[in-house]
Amino acid sequence: MEGTGLFDAPRFANHTVVYAKYCDGGSWTGAMSTPPINVTVGSDPPFALYFRGRGLFDGLFDELLTNRGLDKATELLYAGCSAGGLTTYIHADAVAATMKTRAPGATVVALADAMFSLNHLDFNQVITPQAIHLVFSLVHEGVVC
C-alpha cells in the first residue's frame, strides 16, 4: 500500500486519521516574532515571512484534544514521512508528554518514515544536513523544541 491508502485497510477501520500537511518550512518548530526574511516575488512589493510553526503545531493538538475527541483516545500513532519524518523525531517526546497530561489513558507511539539525511551533495550540489541547519537557523530566535 502507498501513502494514506494504508489507512483504508481493515486494520484501521475503527481509527480516526488526521492528516496535517507540513507547511511552515521548519518542521513546526519556528517561533519568530520578527520576520527573518523579506521576500520579493516579481514586481510585487516585498512581504515578510514569519516562521511560527510551533504555534501551528500546538494549535493543531489543542484543537484535536479540546474539540475533536483526541482526549478520549486509547492509542495514538504519531507519524510523518519525508520532512514530516524529521518533524516526528523532533516532536515525539512533546506529543507523548501532552497526551500523558491531557489523555492519560492513551498509548503513544511515534513512527518516522524516511527522514535520513546523509552528509553528501544532493542533486542541487547542496549538503542536506547543512541545508536543514540553515533553515532552522532562519526560523528560530531561540530554542523552542
Side-chain angles (χ1 to χ4, degrees):
M1 273 179 237
E2 183 179 343
T4 58
L6 169 70
F7 300 110
D8 296 332
R11 176 178 293 271
F12 293 102
N14 295 320
H15 290 74
T16 300
V17 175
V18 175
Y19 181 73
K21 291 187 176 187
Y22 170 72
C23 62
D24 78 317
S27 294
W28 286 349
T29 63
M32 298 294 285
S33 60
T34 58
I37 298 175
N38 286 310
V39 177
T40 303
V41 178
S43 60
D44 293 337
F47 60 91
L49 289 180
Y50 290 84
F51 293 94
R52 295 182 178 157
R54 184 58 194 246
L56 297 171
F57 180 84
D58 292 341
L60 171 65
F61 267 88
D62 188 57
E63 171 66 19
L64 294 171
L65 286 158
T66 303
N67 300 315
R68 307 293 176 147
L70 186 58
D71 59 320
K72 296 170 185 61
T74 57
E75 299 171 316
L76 173 64
L77 170 60
Y78 173 65
C81 61
S82 191
L86 177 60
T87 302
T88 303
Y89 285 125
I90 292 170
H91 294 290
D93 290 339
V95 169
T98 298
M99 293 297 289
K100 185 176 183 178
T101 302
R102 296 187 60 189
T107 300
V108 179
V109 176
L111 172 67
D113 179 17
M115 183 57 197
F116 181 71
S117 298
L118 296 173
N119 196 15
H120 67 87
L121 293 175
D122 67 11
F123 66 92
N124 286 321
Q125 302 303 301
V126 174
I127 298 175
T128 302
Q130 289 175 356
I132 292 170
H133 183 268
L134 173 63
V135 168
F136 277 81
S137 69
L138 290 173
V139 302
H140 293 283
E141 290 174 322
V143 178
V144 295
C145 297

